[in-house]
PDB file of all heavy atoms in Angstrom:
ATOM      1  N   GLY A 235      30.618 -12.335   1.461  1.00 59.00           N
ATOM      2  CA  GLY A 235      31.650 -13.374   1.616  1.00 59.00           C
ATOM      3  C   GLY A 235      32.848 -13.238   0.633  1.00 59.00           C
ATOM      4  O   GLY A 235      33.792 -13.899   0.752  1.00 59.00           O
ATOM      5  N   GLU A 236      32.723 -12.382  -0.346  1.00 62.00           N
ATOM      6  CA  GLU A 236      33.741 -12.119  -1.336  1.00 62.00           C
ATOM      7  C   GLU A 236      34.486 -10.861  -0.928  1.00 62.00           C
ATOM      8  O   GLU A 236      33.959  -9.860  -0.335  1.00 62.00           O
ATOM      9  CB  GLU A 236      33.250 -12.077  -2.729  1.00 62.00           C
ATOM     10  CG  GLU A 236      32.477 -13.267  -3.314  1.00 62.00           C
ATOM     11  CD  GLU A 236      32.030 -13.149  -4.550  1.00 62.00           C
ATOM     12  OE1 GLU A 236      32.026 -12.009  -5.207  1.00 62.00           O
ATOM     13  OE2 GLU A 236      31.514 -14.177  -5.205  1.00 62.00           O
ATOM     14  N   THR A 237      35.754 -10.732  -1.427  1.00 63.00           N
ATOM     15  CA  THR A 237      36.479  -9.517  -1.279  1.00 63.00           C
ATOM     16  C   THR A 237      37.014  -9.223  -2.686  1.00 63.00           C
ATOM     17  O   THR A 237      37.397 -10.031  -3.432  1.00 63.00           O
ATOM     18  CB  THR A 237      37.819  -9.774  -0.360  1.00 63.00           C
ATOM     19  OG1 THR A 237      38.505 -10.869  -0.777  1.00 63.00           O
ATOM     20  CG2 THR A 237      37.285 -10.001   1.056  1.00 63.00           C
ATOM     21  N   PRO A 238      37.161  -7.899  -2.987  1.00 61.00           N
ATOM     22  CA  PRO A 238      37.662  -7.431  -4.399  1.00 61.00           C
ATOM     23  C   PRO A 238      39.034  -7.800  -4.496  1.00 61.00           C
ATOM     24  O   PRO A 238      39.806  -8.081  -3.564  1.00 61.00           O
ATOM     25  CB  PRO A 238      37.528  -5.896  -4.296  1.00 61.00           C
ATOM     26  CG  PRO A 238      37.540  -5.579  -2.770  1.00 61.00           C
ATOM     27  CD  PRO A 238      36.941  -6.786  -2.028  1.00 61.00           C
ATOM     28  N   SER A 239      39.408  -8.040  -5.759  1.00 60.00           N
ATOM     29  CA  SER A 239      40.775  -8.253  -6.206  1.00 60.00           C
ATOM     30  C   SER A 239      41.656  -7.250  -5.739  1.00 60.00           C
ATOM     31  O   SER A 239      41.334  -6.109  -5.679  1.00 60.00           O
ATOM     32  CB  SER A 239      40.869  -8.507  -7.715  1.00 60.00           C
ATOM     33  OG  SER A 239      42.201  -8.609  -8.118  1.00 60.00           O
ATOM     34  N   LEU A 240      42.848  -7.776  -5.259  1.00 50.00           N
ATOM     35  CA  LEU A 240      43.926  -6.736  -4.878  1.00 50.00           C
ATOM     36  C   LEU A 240      44.309  -5.668  -5.994  1.00 50.00           C
ATOM     37  O   LEU A 240      44.626  -4.651  -5.764  1.00 50.00           O
ATOM     38  CB  LEU A 240      45.148  -7.514  -4.413  1.00 50.00           C
ATOM     39  CG  LEU A 240      45.069  -8.308  -3.129  1.00 50.00           C
ATOM     40  CD1 LEU A 240      46.314  -9.024  -2.859  1.00 50.00           C
ATOM     41  CD2 LEU A 240      44.619  -7.396  -1.879  1.00 50.00           C
ATOM     42  N   LEU A 241      44.067  -6.206  -7.309  1.00 45.00           N
ATOM     43  CA  LEU A 241      44.309  -5.294  -8.358  1.00 45.00           C
ATOM     44  C   LEU A 241      43.398  -4.219  -8.453  1.00 45.00           C
ATOM     45  O   LEU A 241      43.698  -3.105  -8.963  1.00 45.00           O
ATOM     46  CB  LEU A 241      44.249  -6.153  -9.728  1.00 45.00           C
ATOM     47  CG  LEU A 241      45.306  -7.174  -9.855  1.00 45.00           C
ATOM     48  CD1 LEU A 241      45.105  -7.885 -11.152  1.00 45.00           C
ATOM     49  CD2 LEU A 241      46.699  -6.591  -9.725  1.00 45.00           C
ATOM     50  N   GLN A 242      42.238  -4.329  -7.759  1.00 53.00           N
ATOM     51  CA  GLN A 242      41.187  -3.237  -7.922  1.00 53.00           C
ATOM     52  C   GLN A 242      41.468  -2.215  -6.655  1.00 53.00           C
ATOM     53  O   GLN A 242      40.832  -1.226  -6.679  1.00 53.00           O
ATOM     54  CB  GLN A 242      39.786  -3.875  -7.649  1.00 53.00           C
ATOM     55  CG  GLN A 242      39.331  -4.720  -8.834  1.00 53.00           C
ATOM     56  CD  GLN A 242      37.969  -5.337  -8.738  1.00 53.00           C
ATOM     57  OE1 GLN A 242      37.876  -6.047  -7.605  1.00 53.00           O
ATOM     58  NE2 GLN A 242      37.090  -4.907  -9.465  1.00 53.00           N
ATOM     59  N   GLN A 243      42.223  -2.629  -5.739  1.00 57.00           N
ATOM     60  CA  GLN A 243      42.462  -1.827  -4.588  1.00 57.00           C
ATOM     61  C   GLN A 243      43.608  -0.776  -4.845  1.00 57.00           C
ATOM     62  O   GLN A 243      44.770  -1.173  -5.052  1.00 57.00           O
ATOM     63  CB  GLN A 243      42.870  -2.581  -3.289  1.00 57.00           C
ATOM     64  CG  GLN A 243      41.696  -3.562  -2.993  1.00 57.00           C
ATOM     65  CD  GLN A 243      41.895  -4.360  -1.732  1.00 57.00           C
ATOM     66  OE1 GLN A 243      42.559  -3.825  -0.753  1.00 57.00           O
ATOM     67  NE2 GLN A 243      41.445  -5.527  -1.593  1.00 57.00           N
ATOM     68  N   VAL A 244      43.319   0.471  -4.837  1.00 54.00           N
ATOM     69  CA  VAL A 244      44.231   1.445  -5.053  1.00 54.00           C
ATOM     70  C   VAL A 244      45.007   1.790  -3.944  1.00 54.00           C
ATOM     71  O   VAL A 244      44.405   2.239  -2.893  1.00 54.00           O
ATOM     72  CB  VAL A 244      43.460   2.844  -5.712  1.00 54.00           C
ATOM     73  CG1 VAL A 244      44.506   4.003  -5.883  1.00 54.00           C
ATOM     74  CG2 VAL A 244      42.821   2.576  -6.967  1.00 54.00           C
ATOM     75  N   LYS A 245      46.297   1.751  -3.944  1.00 57.00           N
ATOM     76  CA  LYS A 245      47.150   2.006  -2.813  1.00 57.00           C
ATOM     77  C   LYS A 245      47.723   3.408  -2.867  1.00 57.00           C
ATOM     78  O   LYS A 245      48.270   3.923  -1.813  1.00 57.00           O
ATOM     79  CB  LYS A 245      48.289   0.977  -2.740  1.00 57.00           C
ATOM     80  CG  LYS A 245      47.751  -0.602  -2.694  1.00 57.00           C
ATOM     81  CD  LYS A 245      47.022  -0.757  -1.369  1.00 57.00           C
ATOM     82  CE  LYS A 245      46.601  -2.231  -1.384  1.00 57.00           C
ATOM     83  NZ  LYS A 245      45.701  -2.395  -0.067  1.00 57.00           N
TER      84      LYS A 245
END
Side-chain angles (χ1 to χ4, degrees):
E236 297 179 353
T237 55
S239 167
L240 292 177
L241 296 177
Q242 295 176 298
Q243 301 185 31
V244 176
K245 300 300 181 182

